[in-house]
Amino acid sequence: MGGKYRITGDTYPRMRRPRHRRRLVLAGIGAVVVLGLVGWGSLQLIEVFTGGDKSANAADHQRDCPTAKPSVAPVKALPKPAAIKVNVYNATTRTGLAKAAAEELKKRGFAIGDVGNAPKEYDKKVPGTGVLLGAPAAKNGSFTVLGTQLAGTVQKTDTRKTGEVDLILGAKFKAFSTSKEATAAMTALTRPAPSPSPSC
């Protein structure tokens, strides 16, 4: 009886093989998990040193930044040509220049005052296109409007209390700006400027 049911030496190793196979499978799964964790950790380090997804950060930044509402900056009102009285003086050797210039300015809507030769301190002493002379208040008003009619003028102020402006024509004066050029220059001065966009 005893010899019939005895376990031989050949049978015992066959019973141990499945357990050895499970160890190999578990070891393989563990290696896969470890490699996955190492890869994930590497990605985290890359994001730390590179600042993450820049496009995502930019999108978040835009969402946080308020949208600028269309608005315009106020523009100081400039006087109309009819409200500006201009004295026209000729500082050159060309006869009749002041009269011709005064007539052209009158056609463009300016009020004309005195017309004649320039005073001694300016006679034949204006090398450029002309000089605008007036009270300090004219610098941001009458000078600006009259300057659109003649490019290159020099602005000077004196102690006068009245509002008229002297236009002293110089040696380089040839002609006034065209009506189109003068209108474009005036439009640029009176067009409201857009408000700056908010910085976030």
Side-chain angles (χ1 to χ4, degrees):
M1 296 289 291
K4 185 178 180 178
Y5 295 100
R6 188 177 64 179
I7 299 174
T8 64
D10 293 338
T11 306
Y12 181 75
R14 293 195 195 100
M15 297 177 64
R16 303 270 309 170
R17 283 177 184 171
R19 190 176 300 175
H20 180 66
R21 189 177 294 116
R22 279 198 301 271
R23 288 179 181 176
L24 290 176
V25 172
L26 291 175
I29 294 173
V32 171
V33 172
V34 169
L35 289 174
L37 290 174
V38 170
W40 181 80
S42 299
L43 289 175
Q44 295 298 313
L45 288 174
I46 291 172
E47 288 188 0
V48 168
F49 287 104
T50 61
D53 190 347
K54 294 182 179 180
S55 61
N57 291 339
D60 293 340
H61 179 74
Q62 291 178 352
R63 284 196 296 269
D64 295 338
C65 183
T67 303
K69 295 181 179 180
S71 59
V72 293
V75 175
K76 183 179 179 180
L78 294 172
K80 299 293 184 181
I84 302 174
K85 185 178 181 180
V86 185
N87 301 318
V88 185
Y89 299 115
N90 181 11
T92 75
T93 57
R94 286 175 280 172
T95 304
L97 186 62
K99 182 180 179 181
E103 289 176 353
E104 180 61 29
L105 288 176
K106 186 175 181 179
K107 291 178 183 178
R108 299 187 183 199
F110 290 89
I112 303 301
D114 296 336
V115 178
N117 293 324
K120 290 182 179 180
E121 60 266 35
Y122 289 101
D123 189 27
K124 301 179 184 63
K125 297 177 183 177
V126 180
T129 57
V131 173
L132 298 179
L133 183 64
K139 292 186 68 175
N140 296 319
S142 300
F143 282 178
T144 303
V145 176
L146 189 55
T148 63
Q149 308 297 318
L150 180 60
T153 54
V154 176
Q155 298 181 5
K156 294 186 177 182
T157 59
D158 54 19
T159 58
R160 74 181 70 187
K161 303 299 181 182
T162 55
E164 80 272 6
V165 174
D166 297 345
L167 171 58
I168 305 173
L169 302 173
K172 290 185 179 180
F173 175 80
K174 301 297 182 184
F176 289 109
S177 303
T178 64
S179 297
K180 185 177 180 180
E181 291 171 341
T183 300
M186 181 61 71
T187 300
L189 290 171
T190 56
R191 180 184 297 139
S195 299
S197 301
S199 57
C200 301

